[in-house]
């Protein structure tokens, strides 16, 4: 029997959990069809999820249909919980992307589509709510092809009923559309007039073709066709004989037991096996909703939870499995905890456990300020976090006003130098800092002869660059979009130790940044939203004025086909704006549109761009880089048997190793435009 792991993902309210229920019901795994609005959905088990009517945590369910053993992973649909969804993508054989027929392709749908492409996940679409008045399958498939991919092809005919054949039949009109997604396949199709099922499967697996099914999950329309498609068209991931597994989630059960959720990529895992850091597996669990069964072994392709491990994290590879890509979805807001009457150390312990489950919380403790801070995607996540602290840990707390998570980058290249030479210690490091494409993060590499600096020391430099969050010199925000290359250095055969290169490396990076700051070549970045704003026709002028005031940009307003609950004609405005300016704008929209469904704002984080008010932010931060002793740009030299500090701007003339690059050569390294 074929084993497939499928993730159901969607924009909020598209009907994702309803579809999960329908699949479980039609397969016989559920005797009764649950509903989200009734609070009895099989996969929305948490009290918070029932209270809010949305999926907050990813859940697992298992079903069998024909020749397929299907593990369903239901994921959150709200953008504030996108990190939970992204964690799941790296373990999927296939994703089921649900699109609401009444809403079409939303902003967050496009974000999910980009994530699916990044993790190379074959994808099947289910266009839900086709029973709603006014839905048009031809218009919908056209929009999906234009906004997502031309390879999105209808694999069932809307309203024709579900297929009952053992072998699903693709509509005749769709066969040529499929062939057109690959030139070689098209040539063969035109010559033979046929397209084999094996070829179609390969095209789906290569993400050239994306089967689309139309239906209404609540009425079970189209669900059988989707199930037949999952059975017939999907391909399991290749497995290996050696043990391998990828972690995709960390949770704690009701008894506080830590669970490491894995997808097996190869081999067999049994209790007492050592899988990580000399730690043994205590128990293997296979969950189905809230219930689980213990098992004596997990085999390749299966999903399960392990007890007994500490230090594991989402995305981590175990055994022969590679660690997955760094997550794209990053929080852009930070909030300080107001402990009310609770003990700070108790709050910290609770938040550390929640950070263990979701590393993107980035819990930080400031000893001088006696302040706890967390990072979140938005206010809904913050409200849920506050409720979890109350429900799980009996902590009644609040959070202060949110602030923006800025980043820093550079616009020109520089060669930074760090020298660390107290008595009986020695290291000098030269780092080339060059601008990298927007969104690429930090890249560390070497371009240094082994005759200049031994392999061990070069490894020390790269490891130390990765050992902590490197921060900029404008406000001390995390550094990003910079390529850091080790180009030269020197060690002593007698006095150099690893710690010397740690100090020299960190100082070299900071010294280079200070040189750039002096020249005005450091840049502050801020997060921007891509927004979709619906307002009444008479409020369009007000909305456009507001966006301009927020330093945002927008496309020409478009008359909406839908109307507000009071019958008002709606107009849609799309564009981008700084998070700092727009984060509280939804309240303003509700106020000037009088609520009642007349105005709606949807915001999706659209990455980082140059800060629109950099000078004001820098002035307010009052950050003094030379006073940041944990990130000092200064060096230490030795004379007369004693070490002494040397300011960053005097290091170039005192460096022991000649510079590799001249100012003229450095000027040739231009910042990428994107």
């Amino acid at each position: 029997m074929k084993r497939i792991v499928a993730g159901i993902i969607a924009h909020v309210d598209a009907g994702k959990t309803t579809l999960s229920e329908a699949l479980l019901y039609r397969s016989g795994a559920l005797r009764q069809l649950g509903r989200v609005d009734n609070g009895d959905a099989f996969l929305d088990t948490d009290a918070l999820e029932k209270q809010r009517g949305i999926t907050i945590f990813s859940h697992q369910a298992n079903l069998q249909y024909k020749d397929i053993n299907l593990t369903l992973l239901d994921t959150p649909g709200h953008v504030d919980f996108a990190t939970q969804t992204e964690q799941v993508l790296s373990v999927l054989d296939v994703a089921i992307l649900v699109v609401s027929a009444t809403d079409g392709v939303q902003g967050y749908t496009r974000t999910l589509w980009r994530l699916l492409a990044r993790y190379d996940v074959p994808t099947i679409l289910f266009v839900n709510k086709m029973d709603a008045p006014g839905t048009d399958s031809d218009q919908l498939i056209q929009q999906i092809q234009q906004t997502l991919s031309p390879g999105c092809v209808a694999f069932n005919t809307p309203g024709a009923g579900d297929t009952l054949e053992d072998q699903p039949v693709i509509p005749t009109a769709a066969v040529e559309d499929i062939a057109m997604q690959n030139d070689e396949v098209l040539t063969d199709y035109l010559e033979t007039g046929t397209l084999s099922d094996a070829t179609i499967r390969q095209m789906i697996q290569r993400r050239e073709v994306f089967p689309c099914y139309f239906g209404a999950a609540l009425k079970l329309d189209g669900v059988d066709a989707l199930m037949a498609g999952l059975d017939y068209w999907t391909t399991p991931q290749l497995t290996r004989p050696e043990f391998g597994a990828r972690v995709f989630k960390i949770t704690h059960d009701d008894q506080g037991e830590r669970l490491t959720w894995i997808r097996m990529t190869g081999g067999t895992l049994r209790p007492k096996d050592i899988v990580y850091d000399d730690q043994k597996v205590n128990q293997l669990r296979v969950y189905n909703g809230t219930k689980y069964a213990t098992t004596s072994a997990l085999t390749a392709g299966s999903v399960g939870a392990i007890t007994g491990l500490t230090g594991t994290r989402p995305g981590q590879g175990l055994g022969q499995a590679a660690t997955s890509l760094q997550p794209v979805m990053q929080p852009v807001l930070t909030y300080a905890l107001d402990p009310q009457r609770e003990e700070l150390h108790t709050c910290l312990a609770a938040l550390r456990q929640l950070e263990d489950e979701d590393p993107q919380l980035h819990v930080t403790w400031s000893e001088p300020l006696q302040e706890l801070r967390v990072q979140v995607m938005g206010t809904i996540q913050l409200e849920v976090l506050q409720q979890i602290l109350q429900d799980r840990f009996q902590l009644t707390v609040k959070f202060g006003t949110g602030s923006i998570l800025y980043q820093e980058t550079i616009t020109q290249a520089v060669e930074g130098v760090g020298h660390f030479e107290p008595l009986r210690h020695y290291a000098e490091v030269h780092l080339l800092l060059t601008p990298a494409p927007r969104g690429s993060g930090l890249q560390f590499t070497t371009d240094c002869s082994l005759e200049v600096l031994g392999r061990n020391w070069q490894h020390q430099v790269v490891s130390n660059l990765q050992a902590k969050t490197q921060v900029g010199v404008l406000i001390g925000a995390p550094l990003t979009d910079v390529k850091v290359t080790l180009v030269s250095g020197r060690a002593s055969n007698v006095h150099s130790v690893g710690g010397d290169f740690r100090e020299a490396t960190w100082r070299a990076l900071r010294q280079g940044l200070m040189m750039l700051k002096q020249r005005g070549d450091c840049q502050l970045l801020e997060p921007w939203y891509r927004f979709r704003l619906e307002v009444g026709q008479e409020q369009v002028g007000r909305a456009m004025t507001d966006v301009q005031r927020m330093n945002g940009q927008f496309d020409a307003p478009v008359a909406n086909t839908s109307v507000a609950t009071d019958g008002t004609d709606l107009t849609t405005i799309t564009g981008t704006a700084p998070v700092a300016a727009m984060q509280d704008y939804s309240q303003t929209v509700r106020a000037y549109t009088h609520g009642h469904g007349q105005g709606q704002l949807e915001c999706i984080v659209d990455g980082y761009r140059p800060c629109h008010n950099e000078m004001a932010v820098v002035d307010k931060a009052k950050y003094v880089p030379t006073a940041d002793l944990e990130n000092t740009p200064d060096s230490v030299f030795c004379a007369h048997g004693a070490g002494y500090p040397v300011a960053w701007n005097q290091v170039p003339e005192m460096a022991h190793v000649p510079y590799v690059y001249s100012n003229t050569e450095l000027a040739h390294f231009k910042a990428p435009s994107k």
Side-chain angles (χ1 to χ4, degrees), residues 221-263:
D221 292 341
V223 175
D224 285 351
L226 173 63
M227 291 179 69
L230 286 167
D231 174 55
Y232 194 75
W233 297 116
T234 57
T235 306
Q237 290 182 3
L238 294 175
T239 58
R240 303 175 59 173
E242 307 89 358
F243 165 71
R246 179 168 292 139
V247 180
F248 68 92
K249 185 169 67 167
I250 303 295
T251 63
H252 292 78
D253 65 15
D254 293 339
Q255 284 69 48
E257 186 86 54
R258 187 179 190 270
L259 303 177
T260 298
W261 294 71
I262 61 167
R263 162 75 189 273

Side-chain angles (χ1 to χ4, degrees), residues 534-536 538-539 562-570 586-601:
E534 285 187 348
V535 294
E538 71 278 6
Q539 294 146 348
S562 61
V563 296
T565 52
D566 63 354
T568 304
D569 289 331
L570 293 176
S586 58
Q587 299 169 9
T588 305
V589 171
R590 283 195 296 269
Y592 74 71
T593 59
H594 315 298
H596 308 299
Q598 289 189 22
Q600 184 176 357
L601 175 67

Side-chain angles (χ1 to χ4, degrees), residues 279-298:
Q279 299 176 40
K280 291 183 180 179
V281 173
N282 283 349
Q283 191 181 66
L284 296 174
R285 302 179 180 180
V286 176
Y287 273 81
N288 194 24
T290 56
K291 298 179 180 179
Y292 70 86
T294 58
T295 182
S296 59
L298 288 176

Side-chain angles (χ1 to χ4, degrees), residues 82-83 85-93 111-123 207 237 246 315 323-329:
T83 56
T85 299
E86 187 176 1
Q87 288 173 6
V88 171
L89 299 186
S90 66
V91 301
L92 300 181
D93 294 308
T111 298
L112 291 170
W113 188 259
R114 289 194 294 269
L115 288 174
L116 290 167
R118 185 172 193 263
Y119 289 92
D120 198 27
V121 184
T123 304
R207 287 182 52 84
Q237 290 182 3
R246 179 168 292 139
T323 295
S324 67
L325 300 170
Q326 287 293 314
V328 170
M329 304 304 291

Side-chain angles (χ1 to χ4, degrees), residues 331 333-335 360-363 373-377 381 405:
L333 301 172
T334 177
Y335 288 83
Q360 300 293 62
L361 274 179
H362 297 295
V363 178
R373 298 193 75 88
V374 296
Q375 297 179 12
V376 296
M377 297 286 289
Q381 184 187 2
L405 286 167

Side-chain angles (χ1 to χ4, degrees), residues 528-542:
W528 279 53
Y529 280 139
R530 180 164 295 279
F531 68 85
R532 183 177 187 273
L533 175 61
E534 285 187 348
V535 294
Q537 179 61 46
E538 71 278 6
Q539 294 146 348
V540 170
R542 159 72 188 268

Side-chain angles (χ1 to χ4, degrees), residues 36-314:
V36 175
D37 48 3
N38 291 342
D40 59 357
F42 180 74
L43 288 173
D44 276 353
T45 55
D46 190 89
L48 266 176
E49 293 177 319
K50 293 178 180 179
Q51 175 185 332
R52 290 180 173 267
I54 60 173
T55 304
I56 297 172
F57 312 101
S58 60
H59 299 285
Q60 175 183 345
N62 309 302
L63 62 89
Q64 291 187 3
Y65 175 81
K66 292 186 178 179
D67 294 326
I68 186 172
N69 186 325
L70 188 65
T71 298
L72 279 181
L73 298 177
D74 189 19
T75 62
H78 197 285
V79 63
D80 278 16
F81 307 103
T83 56
Q84 297 251 0
T85 299
E86 187 176 1
Q87 288 173 6
V88 171
L89 299 186
S90 66
V91 301
L92 300 181
D93 294 308
V94 64
I96 303 169
L97 178 64
V98 186
V99 176
S100 168
T102 56
D103 299 325
V105 177
Q106 299 289 287
Y108 186 46
T109 312
R110 289 190 286 270
T111 298
L112 291 170
W113 188 259
R114 289 194 294 269
L115 288 174
L116 290 167
R118 185 172 193 263
Y119 289 92
D120 198 27
V121 184
T123 304
I124 293 174
L125 288 82
F126 185 79
V127 183
N128 194 24
K129 304 183 183 181
M130 286 298 296
D131 56 331
T135 56
D136 185 319
S137 59
D138 291 336
Q139 286 184 359
L140 283 163
I141 196 68
Q142 185 176 3
Q143 183 200 31
I144 289 169
Q145 289 173 343
Q146 289 175 346
T147 56
L148 300 183
S149 169
C152 297
V153 179
F155 269 47
N156 75 330
T157 303
D162 283 347
T163 179
L164 299 176
E165 298 89 348
D166 291 335
Q167 179 176 322
V169 178
I170 301 173
T172 305
V175 177
E176 186 172 329
D177 291 340
I178 294 171
M180 289 179 64
Q181 306 312 311
N182 182 295
D183 290 341
E184 292 182 9
V185 172
L186 179 60
T187 300
D188 186 61
Y189 173 71
L190 293 175
E191 290 177 355
T192 65
T194 61
L195 190 60
S196 72
D197 290 351
T199 297
I200 296 174
R201 284 193 196 94
Q202 292 169 5
M203 294 177 75
I204 293 170
Q205 189 67 17
R206 293 195 300 261
R207 287 182 52 84
E208 294 173 343
V209 171
F210 308 92
C212 294
Y213 292 89
F214 294 81
L218 195 59
K219 295 183 177 179
L220 302 177
D221 292 341
V223 175
D224 285 351
L226 173 63
M227 291 179 69
L230 286 167
D231 174 55
Y232 194 75
W233 297 116
T234 57
T235 306
Q237 290 182 3
L238 294 175
T239 58
R240 303 175 59 173
E242 307 89 358
F243 165 71
R246 179 168 292 139
V247 180
F248 68 92
K249 185 169 67 167
I250 303 295
T251 63
H252 292 78
D253 65 15
D254 293 339
Q255 284 69 48
E257 186 86 54
R258 187 179 190 270
L259 303 177
T260 298
W261 294 71
I262 61 167
R263 162 75 189 273
M264 294 284 292
T265 60
T268 302
L269 182 64
R270 295 181 174 86
K272 307 305 179 186
D273 284 352
I274 297 175
V275 295
Y276 170 68
D277 237 8
D278 295 329
Q279 299 176 40
K280 291 183 180 179
V281 173
N282 283 349
Q283 191 181 66
L284 296 174
R285 302 179 180 180
V286 176
Y287 273 81
N288 194 24
T290 56
K291 298 179 180 179
Y292 70 86
T294 58
T295 182
S296 59
L298 288 176
T299 55
S302 60
V303 172
I306 307 173
T307 66
L309 302 184
T310 60
T312 46
R313 64 189 186 281

Side-chain angles (χ1 to χ4, degrees), residues 331-332 404-409 438 475 477-478 480-481 523-529 550-552 577-583 605-614 617:
V332 296
I404 302 300
L405 286 167
Y406 293 94
Q407 295 180 351
E408 298 185 36
T409 192
R438 187 72 45 77
I475 65 171
T480 190
D481 302 343
Q523 188 176 61
L524 191 66
L525 303 176
E526 67 176 343
W528 279 53
Y529 280 139
M550 292 184 284
N551 293 276
V579 172
M582 188 169 258
Q583 61 175 322
V605 175
D606 195 45
Y608 278 76
R609 303 183 186 186
C611 184
H612 75 283
N613 59 339
E614 177 178 308
V617 175

